């Protein structure tokens, strides 16, 4: 018996995936004759409406001796989400075609149940061209490279760590606080000195964790948005970094932390570092309206209860003008050479603020890139009681794709390939095509455990910092982990989107949570095999146009093996990943058996031989 409906197959729904406003969608269902359906209707509800819309399906003949074909068209005309299913009128009552499992296939039930999703995005929505086909590289500035150039630093309330290979400070002080006030002195000139290394990896974009003046080494407690932190260098150093990077075809984007500032900032100034001004010390401060005081000065809203991170009222006109205005922070740093912004905790920023930020960014440079931190499916994410509009054409260009990250790493840790493929397909189905081509696909970030630790180490399971500081991969774990990480990176580089390497992942860095995932890059102690693998994959991305914006086809996903094809009008790449502990021999899809095996893959007599814990690739040049 054929499937009644499958939203991920073009036979049932065309076109597949998110659609531009005004696009006609053709839908087809296959109804068992045993239902004796007298009428079939498409049931659609716009996300913000209470009422369902009904469209009759036409009977279009027999699929086979036991199945009928019913079809209709539907054209979403409003930007947003639509939810849909099918209603059958049968002699024995009303029946419903609904999603039956996590794979979006279907069953016929007596009650409506769940629905399928259509994402409809703004007509004309497009994203920057330059990230397409490229590679992003995330740098935590204090820990990447120290130029050796001493700087004039007025503050004395910090600890300088002279051992580059030491662990960051992880023990609390006498007050029981983790102050994040230890610095390894990595700087902007150090990044500039390593641009040749990044260019060699194929990097086309550097994402910098915060570089603005702040108290802490992570700098998410902004002290002054308009100044580079003196420990990192000067505004001129930033301009030079951007200019030298662009000579190599590398763009720079900054971390924008706009949901909160530091309490130790020119705006709030709790500790008096900035004189007598600031909202904490002066109700007449120009920054007072930025903050919500319940009882001035000590009772104020702060980010997740951290008193050192007072929350900003993003809709405050003065704050909006300061960040997004003609003379605002967004434009200032773009005029200094940056090519866009990563927005910290984007799901905590109001729509109004994000729309104004997008306008400011695109006015300065229509090709600038805006990527937001969202941990879940960003197409249907809800926060603060409302459906978010991140990807509909008026806010973000992209998001940090934690959905892919979790799917890939879980597959490497033993998850059945079916679940991994389902997570991948859910993103491809729900995200607009302009977003898909520039999705920020990371395996590690400053907020997660290192990928190598996740796939090869002992699970954290809530253990404390002392355990994390003392626990490292054994030699055997590391050897297995390197193999698995190569598989994970191969998926990261070949799935739709823009792979982002967290500094040092390519060199074999390991580590549990903050601060152990933020150790210094191991210059002189790198894993050369992993670095070479990243270079080879970078070269493949440059030469294989199918990886830039090609179609994605699910070929096989079962147990410990997963395969897919990326395809456009010039190239086609078959990708397969074997996580069994033995070699598998595969009959490639039609047309690939006499093509070119790449990246060390072995294709003999029409068979593809894939070693244990390994990927394999076959490339067809079409034009």
């Amino acid at each position: 018996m054929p499937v009644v409906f499958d939203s991920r197959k073009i036979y049932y729904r065309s076109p597949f995936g998110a659609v531009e406003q005004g696009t006609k969608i053709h839908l087809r269902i296959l109804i068992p004759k045993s239902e004796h359906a007298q009428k079939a209707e498409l049931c659609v509800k716009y996300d913000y409406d209470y009422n369902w819309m009904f469209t009759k399906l036409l009977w279009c003949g027999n699929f086979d001796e036991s199945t009928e074909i019913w079809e209709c068209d539907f054209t979403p005309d409003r930007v947003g989400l639509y939810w849909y299913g099918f209603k059958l009128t049968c002699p024995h009552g009303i029946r419903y075609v609904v999603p039956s499992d996590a794979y979006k296939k279907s069953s016929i039930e007596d009650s409506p149940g769940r629905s399928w999703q259509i994402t409809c995005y703004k007509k004309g929505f497009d994203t920057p061209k330059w990230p397409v086909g490229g590679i992003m590289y995330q740098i935590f500035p204090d820990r990447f490279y120290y130029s050796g150039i001493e700087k004039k630093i007025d503050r004395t309330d910090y600890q300088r760590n002279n051992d580059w290979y030491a662990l960051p400070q992880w023990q609390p002080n006498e007050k029981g606080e983790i102050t994040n006030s230890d610095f390894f002195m990595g700087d902007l000139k150090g990044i500039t000195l390593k641009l040749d290394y990044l260019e060699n990896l194929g990097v086309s974009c550097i994402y910098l964790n915060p570089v603005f003046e702040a108290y802490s080494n992570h700098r998410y407690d902004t002290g002054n948005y308009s100044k580079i932190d003196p420990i990192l260098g000067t505004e001129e150093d930033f301009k030079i970094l951007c200019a030298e990077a662009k000579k190599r075809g590398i763009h720079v984007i900054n971390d924008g932390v706009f949901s909160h500032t530091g309490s130790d900032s020119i705006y709030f100034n709790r500790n008096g570092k900035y004189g007598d001004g600031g909202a904490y010390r002066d109700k007449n401060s120009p920054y007072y309206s930025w903050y919500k005081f319940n009882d001035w000065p000590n009772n104020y809203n702060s980010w997740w209860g951290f008193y050192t991170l007072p929350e900003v009222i993003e809709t405050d006109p003065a704050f909006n003008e300061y960040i997004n205005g003609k003379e605002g922070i967004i434009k200032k740093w773009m005029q200094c050479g940056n090519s866009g912004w990563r927005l910290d905790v984007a799901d905590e920023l109001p729509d109004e603020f994000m729309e104004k930020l997008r306008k400011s960014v695109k006015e300065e440079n229509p090709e600038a890139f805006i990527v937001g931190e969202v941990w879940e499916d960003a197409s249907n994410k809800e926060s603060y009681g409302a459906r978010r509009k991140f990807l509909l054409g008026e806010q973000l260009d992209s998001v940090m794709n934690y959905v892919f990250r979790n799917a890939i790493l879980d597959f490497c840790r033993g998850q059945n390939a079916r679940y991994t493929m389902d997570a991948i397909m859910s993103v491809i189905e729900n995200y607009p095509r302009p977003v898909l081509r520039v999705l920020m696909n990371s395996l590690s970030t400053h907020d997660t455990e290192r990928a190598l630790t996740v796939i090869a180490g002992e699970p954290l399971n809530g253990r404390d910092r002392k355990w994390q500081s003392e626990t490292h991969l054994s030699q055997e774990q590391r050897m297995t982990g390197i193999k698995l990480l190569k598989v994970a990176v191969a998926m990261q580089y070949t799935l739709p989107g823009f792979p982002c390497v967290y500094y040092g992942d390519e060199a074999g860095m390991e580590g549990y949570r903050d601060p152990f995932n933020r150790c210094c890059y191991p210059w002189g102690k790198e894993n050369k095999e992993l670095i070479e693998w990243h270079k080879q994959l970078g070269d493949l991305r440059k030469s294989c146009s199918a990886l830039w914006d090609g179609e994605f086809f699910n070929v096989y996903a079962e147990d410990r093996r997963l395969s897919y094809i990326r395809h456009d009008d010039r190239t086609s790449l078959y990708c397969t990943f074997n996580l069994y502990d033995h070699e598998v021999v595969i009959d490639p899809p039609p047309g690939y058996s006499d093509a070119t095996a790449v990246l060390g893959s072995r294709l003999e007599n029409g068979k593809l031989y894939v070693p244990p814990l390994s990927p394999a690739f076959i490339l067809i040049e079409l034009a």
Side-chain angles (χ1 to χ4, degrees):
M1 178 71 67
V3 172
V4 181
F5 181 74
D6 186 342
S7 67
R8 294 175 182 173
K9 285 194 166 57
I10 207 76
Y11 178 80
Y12 297 92
R13 199 201 123 166
S14 177
F16 164 72
V19 294
E20 189 177 56
Q21 188 179 7
T23 301
K24 182 169 70 175
I25 303 171
H26 187 71
L27 297 156
R28 179 184 288 125
I29 60 175
L30 302 180
I31 303 175
K33 289 184 179 180
S34 59
E35 293 287 338
H36 301 291
Q38 299 163 335
K39 185 169 72 170
E41 296 172 280
L42 169 69
C43 314
V44 180
K45 189 178 85 70
Y46 182 63
D47 206 26
Y48 301 103
D49 288 351
Y50 291 104
N51 299 321
W52 288 81
M53 300 175 285
F54 299 92
T55 301
K56 284 186 178 181
L57 281 79
L58 297 177
W59 183 87
C60 295
N62 296 320
F63 179 80
D64 58 24
E65 62 184 17
S66 62
T67 313
E68 300 174 331
I69 304 171
W70 294 69
E71 301 180 16
C72 74
D73 291 328
F74 172 70
T75 303
D77 58 358
R78 289 187 284 177
V79 171
L81 300 188
Y82 291 79
W83 306 98
Y84 71 102
F86 303 90
K87 177 182 176 182
L88 310 179
T89 302
C90 305
H92 48 284
I94 301 298
R95 304 271 277 159
Y96 299 91
V97 179
V98 297
S100 61
D101 57 26
Y103 310 109
K104 298 299 188 288
K105 293 179 183 174
S106 57
S107 62
I108 300 177
E109 306 290 346
D110 291 330
S111 57
R114 295 180 294 179
S115 303
W116 287 276
Q117 173 182 323
I118 296 172
T119 305
C120 178
Y121 56 93
K122 182 179 178 181
K123 191 172 183 61
F125 174 43
D126 204 2
T127 50
K129 303 295 185 296
W130 62 262
V132 177
I135 298 165
M136 186 186 286
Y137 192 88
Q138 178 185 350
I139 293 177
F140 194 82
D142 186 59
R143 310 288 160 80
F144 184 62
Y145 190 67
Y146 172 45
S147 67
I149 298 172
E150 292 293 332
K151 303 168 192 69
K152 183 181 178 182
I153 302 169
D154 294 332
R155 61 181 285 194
T156 57
D157 56 345
Y158 74 101
Q159 172 190 329
R160 179 169 182 168
N161 199 325
N162 293 312
D163 181 0
W164 185 257
Y165 302 102
L167 286 177
Q169 181 188 76
W170 59 269
Q171 293 174 307
N173 61 19
E174 62 279 0
K175 296 180 181 179
E177 298 174 323
I178 303 292
T179 61
N180 296 299
S181 58
D182 60 318
F183 292 80
F184 288 80
M185 309 308 287
D187 54 11
L188 296 178
K189 285 184 177 178
I191 299 170
T192 304
L193 290 171
K194 291 298 182 180
L195 286 174
D196 288 345
Y197 167 74
L198 298 178
E199 183 182 14
N200 222 21
L201 281 178
V203 169
S204 58
C205 177
I206 296 170
Y207 152 41
L208 292 174
N209 286 112
V211 297
F212 307 132
E213 182 175 271
Y215 170 80
S216 73
N217 53 45
H218 56 69
R219 300 186 175 90
Y220 282 93
D221 53 338
T222 310
N224 190 337
Y225 290 110
S226 66
K227 286 182 62 179
I228 296 293
D229 193 297
I231 292 177
L232 289 176
T234 64
E235 185 171 311
E236 185 63 23
D237 292 337
F238 179 77
K239 290 178 179 178
I240 291 171
L241 169 61
C242 293
E244 289 300 314
K246 282 184 180 175
K247 289 178 185 177
R248 296 163 171 82
I250 300 173
H251 296 73
V252 175
I253 66 171
N254 285 99
D255 214 327
V257 186
F258 303 128
S259 71
H260 52 271
T261 67
S263 61
D264 191 14
S265 66
I266 194 172
Y267 317 106
F268 199 79
N269 199 25
R270 177 171 177 138
N271 297 336
K273 176 180 175 181
Y274 294 90
D276 295 328
Y280 182 86
R281 295 176 171 271
D282 181 3
K283 284 188 175 183
N284 295 315
S285 165
Y287 311 119
Y288 181 80
S289 64
W290 290 18
Y291 303 95
K292 171 65 175 174
F293 287 96
N294 303 306
D295 184 13
W296 183 83
N298 286 314
N299 188 340
Y300 50 87
N301 288 4
S302 59
W303 188 77
W304 289 77
F306 292 100
Y307 78 91
T308 57
L309 301 175
E311 276 189 335
V312 164
I313 303 170
E314 297 94 342
T315 54
D316 175 70
F319 179 74
N320 251 288
E321 184 64 22
Y322 186 86
I323 300 298
N324 298 320
K326 290 183 179 179
E327 306 294 326
I329 293 301
I330 291 294
K331 291 182 183 290
K332 169 184 169 65
W333 293 107
M334 293 181 71
Q335 289 163 8
C336 287
N338 96 3
S339 296
W341 296 84
R342 177 263 187 188
L343 301 183
D344 188 53
V345 293
D347 56 357
E348 298 182 24
L349 300 173
D351 290 337
E352 177 187 336
F353 175 81
M354 294 177 70
E355 286 159 15
K356 288 181 178 179
L357 184 142
R358 181 179 183 85
K359 184 181 178 189
S360 180
V361 168
K362 299 299 181 177
E363 279 178 354
E364 190 65 34
N365 177 6
E367 277 289 291
F369 188 45
I370 310 170
V371 57
E373 179 192 9
V374 181
W375 287 64
E376 304 84 6
D377 183 326
S379 72
N380 52 40
K381 166 84 177 181
E382 292 185 38
S383 60
Y384 299 95
R387 181 85 64 196
R388 302 311 304 266
K389 304 173 183 177
F390 301 128
L391 308 182
L392 299 179
E394 295 184 332
Q395 295 185 6
L396 303 174
D397 293 317
S398 175
V399 290
M400 301 177 75
N401 192 2
Y402 282 102
V403 179
F404 275 12
R405 173 191 179 266
N406 296 339
I408 294 170
L409 297 185
D410 286 348
F411 179 49
C412 289
R413 294 169 66 188
Q415 176 178 263
N416 190 302
R418 285 180 297 157
Y419 297 106
T420 293
M421 183 60 79
D422 175 63
I424 291 168
M425 291 302 299
S426 70
V427 167
I428 296 173
E429 181 172 16
N430 292 345
Y431 285 26
R433 183 63 174 265
V435 175
L436 275 176
R437 66 172 69 106
V438 294
L439 267 180
M440 180 180 167
N441 296 337
S442 300
L443 295 178
S444 310
T445 72
H446 62 290
D447 287 324
T448 71
E449 298 163 56
R450 290 273 179 181
L452 186 59
T453 295
V454 172
I455 59 182
E458 189 173 342
L460 182 56
N461 289 338
R463 292 183 171 97
D464 62 19
R465 287 188 171 209
K466 185 174 189 302
W467 181 89
Q468 293 179 57
S469 73
E470 296 170 347
T471 305
H472 306 281
L473 298 180
S474 67
Q475 185 174 358
E476 183 180 357
Q477 285 175 321
R478 192 169 176 83
M479 287 175 62
T480 302
I482 296 297
K483 290 180 181 179
L484 289 170
L485 185 57
K486 289 175 72 173
V487 172
V489 174
M491 293 181 69
Q492 177 192 23
Y493 272 58
T494 55
L495 284 168
F498 192 23
C500 179
V501 179
Y502 182 45
Y503 80 101
D505 269 8
E506 82 281 13
M509 287 183 68
E510 57 183 87
Y512 286 94
R513 293 193 179 161
D514 169 22
F516 309 106
N517 56 357
R518 302 177 183 182
C519 293
C520 295
Y521 184 100
W523 299 108
K525 300 181 179 182
E526 309 94 325
N527 183 292
K528 305 293 187 185
E529 176 188 354
L530 270 179
I531 290 178
E532 182 58 31
W533 183 240
H534 281 77
K535 287 180 182 177
Q536 291 176 27
L537 286 166
D539 290 342
L540 179 65
R541 283 187 64 81
K542 284 181 184 176
S543 63
C544 181
S545 60
L547 297 178
W548 306 348
D549 189 23
E551 302 295 333
F552 178 94
F553 299 104
N554 171 10
V555 175
Y556 182 88
E558 197 65 48
D559 202 10
R560 305 301 295 132
R561 187 165 70 81
L562 183 148
S563 305
Y564 50 78
I565 289 172
R566 300 297 309 282
H567 176 85
D568 68 2
D569 57 0
R570 287 186 284 171
T571 58
S572 188
L573 184 71
Y574 173 67
C575 313
T576 192
F577 307 89
N578 172 29
L579 292 186
Y580 288 108
D581 59 4
H582 57 269
E583 180 181 70
V584 297
V585 182
I586 298 171
D587 290 315
Y592 289 87
S593 59
D594 56 355
T596 304
V598 295
L599 294 183
S601 306
R602 178 184 164 206
L603 181 64
E604 293 180 4
N605 300 319
K607 303 282 189 182
L608 184 62
Y609 294 80
V610 191
L613 308 185
S614 297
F617 305 93
I618 303 174
L619 176 65
I620 297 178
E621 301 280 354
L622 300 170

